[in-house]
Amino acid sequence: MGAGGTPSGGRTPSAPAGAATPHRQRATALHPGAWWLWALALGTAATRTTNPLLLTLLVTVSAYVVVTRRPHAPWSRSYGAFVKLALAVLLIRLLFTTVLGSPVPGTHTLLTLPEVPLPDWAQGIRLGGRVTAEGLAFALYDAMKLATLLICVGAANALANPSRLLKSLPGALYEMGVAVVVALTFAPNLIADVQRLRAARRLRGRPDRGLRGLLQVGLPVLEGALERSVALAAAMDARGYGRTADVPAPVRRTTAALTLGGLLGVCAGTYGLLTAAGGTYGVPVLLAGVAAAVAGLWLGGRRTVRTRYRPDRWDARAWLVTASGVAVAALLFLAAARDPAALHPGVVPLVAPALPLWPAAAVLVGLLPAFVTPAPDPAPKTAVKEPS
């Protein structure tokens, strides 16, 4: 050390070039609620079509945004797990269709399995028999819809910080939000623990695959999960989790009435929008239910004594990201009403699906977050220790 208290050589330690401070990261980060609304809107759009080309385009859009805007954090590594889960859904649905048959009649027989005779009380169910191309195509289209929805949820998990999302919830939903956030962060932490333990076993020359490797990795992962649960419980108790303020009885009854009535109104309005006969009253009832539910949540937040440290701001970028997802969902709703044959290709007779042009262009609107949101900071590099 020199006379002035600096290390030998006269240089003072400094942050690496390009490193972002926590305050800068908070100032430039997008509101996590905007990411969830964007992803859920894409998932809603996926439920309006069974066209495999449009569903593949939705998956491509979400994957591109995740690749370009996913931060370098442990909780953002769960996207691959959701993709694997979606592929498993596809394989299981095709396997069930092959073994149990399909209600869709078909003329193009791919193979014929030995059929197992079943008793009379199991009429309508068969094991084995003919496997047709029409039945497999119908099962594939229907399973791709669910797989796309799972991948969109995985995109939200990879892009939105769960702890910041919890901080943005209304006070009335705080306790439920804690449970949801803990459940959402369990999967990324579990995947990170498994990857870390498998890498450690490979460095020691021990097997990390097969049943033996699974058993020897599973016990440390379970132990780490229990330790994390105990630490989380202690932190929540130290921060006064679960303590409520005194609220007058009339306010409690008004809160319960508004919340219950609002939820019933949302259900009735949604039912009206989904049915042909309820198109006239669906929108007014839905808006009234949403307004009553919001008022009930606002009054219910008075029972929760909590403050927010540096709350996330809902800025213009959050509005753009949310609007891009909502636009995709709204345009696909319109396309499904105007041209249902393009969004639901037929399988009897079996024809190759075609890509409708303007619905495909509508899906590309979902790429807007990749251009209006800031790029994630580069992964931190390990500092090289200078010789003394």
Side-chain angles (χ1 to χ4, degrees):
M1 299 290 290
T6 59
S8 58
R11 288 175 293 181
T12 57
S14 59
T21 61
H23 179 70
R24 176 177 173 271
Q25 292 176 353
R26 284 191 296 266
T28 59
L30 188 70
H31 196 285
W35 284 125
W36 268 100
L37 291 176
W38 170 82
L40 292 178
L42 291 187
T44 303
T47 62
R48 307 310 301 171
T49 178
T50 56
N51 191 317
L53 300 180
L54 285 177
L55 294 174
T56 303
L57 188 59
L58 281 169
V59 172
T60 304
V61 166
S62 65
Y64 181 79
V65 175
V66 169
V67 170
T68 56
R69 291 299 180 261
R70 177 173 56 181
H72 300 282
W75 48 264
S76 65
R77 302 173 186 171
S78 60
Y79 185 73
F82 279 91
V83 173
K84 295 177 182 178
L85 179 60
L87 293 177
V89 168
L90 290 176
L91 294 177
I92 292 173
R93 180 61 187 275
L94 292 177
L95 179 62
F96 279 7
T97 302
T98 302
V99 176
L100 302 178
S102 174
V104 177
T107 57
H108 298 79
T109 303
L110 298 179
L111 70 155
T112 303
L113 299 177
E115 189 168 355
V116 179
L118 297 177
D120 296 335
W121 54 266
Q123 293 294 330
I125 303 175
R126 68 177 179 87
L127 295 176
R130 289 193 318 125
V131 179
T132 62
E134 289 84 355
L136 288 180
F138 177 79
L140 178 63
Y141 294 171
D142 197 53
M144 284 187 66
K145 183 165 60 175
L146 178 58
T148 304
L149 180 59
L150 289 174
I151 291 177
C152 291
V153 174
N157 277 276
L159 293 168
N161 191 333
S163 60
R164 290 176 53 221
L165 180 64
L166 171 64
K167 187 172 65 174
S168 305
L169 286 177
L173 300 177
Y174 177 68
E175 296 181 359
M176 183 179 67
V178 170
V180 173
V181 169
V182 170
L184 290 176
T185 54
F186 174 76
N189 289 328
L190 181 65
I191 294 171
D193 288 346
V194 171
Q195 292 176 349
R196 176 175 53 82
L197 290 171
R198 290 183 61 184
R201 291 185 63 82
R202 284 195 298 267
L203 291 175
R204 293 178 173 86
R206 297 178 181 177
D208 63 320
R209 297 182 181 274
L211 182 59
R212 180 181 178 186
L214 178 64
L215 293 177
Q216 294 182 355
V217 170
L219 187 59
V221 169
L222 179 60
E223 182 181 358
L226 291 176
E227 292 178 355
R228 192 181 300 113
S229 301
V230 172
L232 177 63
M236 291 167 65
D237 183 69
R239 288 166 174 81
Y241 174 76
R243 301 172 187 175
T244 57
D246 293 331
V247 178
V251 176
R252 292 199 302 268
R253 288 192 289 267
T254 304
T255 302
L258 286 175
T259 304
L260 182 60
L263 294 178
L264 291 176
V266 169
C267 294
T270 304
Y271 177 78
L273 290 178
L274 296 177
T275 57
T280 56
Y281 68 86
V283 175
V285 173
L286 179 61
L287 293 178
V290 170
V294 170
L297 293 177
W298 179 75
L299 286 176
R302 299 174 59 182
R303 295 182 63 249
T304 304
V305 182
R306 57 188 289 261
T307 57
R308 291 184 177 91
Y309 176 69
R310 290 181 179 175
D312 294 313
R313 295 179 299 174
W314 190 277
D315 53 8
R317 296 173 306 167
W319 283 112
L320 288 175
V321 170
T322 304
S324 65
V326 173
V328 174
L331 290 174
L332 283 191
F333 266 86
L334 180 61
R338 297 185 59 181
D339 191 7
L343 270 67
H344 300 278
V347 295
V348 180
L350 186 62
V351 294
L355 181 63
L357 293 182
W358 77 267
V363 173
L364 294 179
V365 177
L367 289 173
L368 185 63
F371 303 99
V372 300
T373 58
D377 296 317
K381 298 180 180 180
T382 304
V384 180
K385 185 178 181 180
E386 298 181 356
S388 56

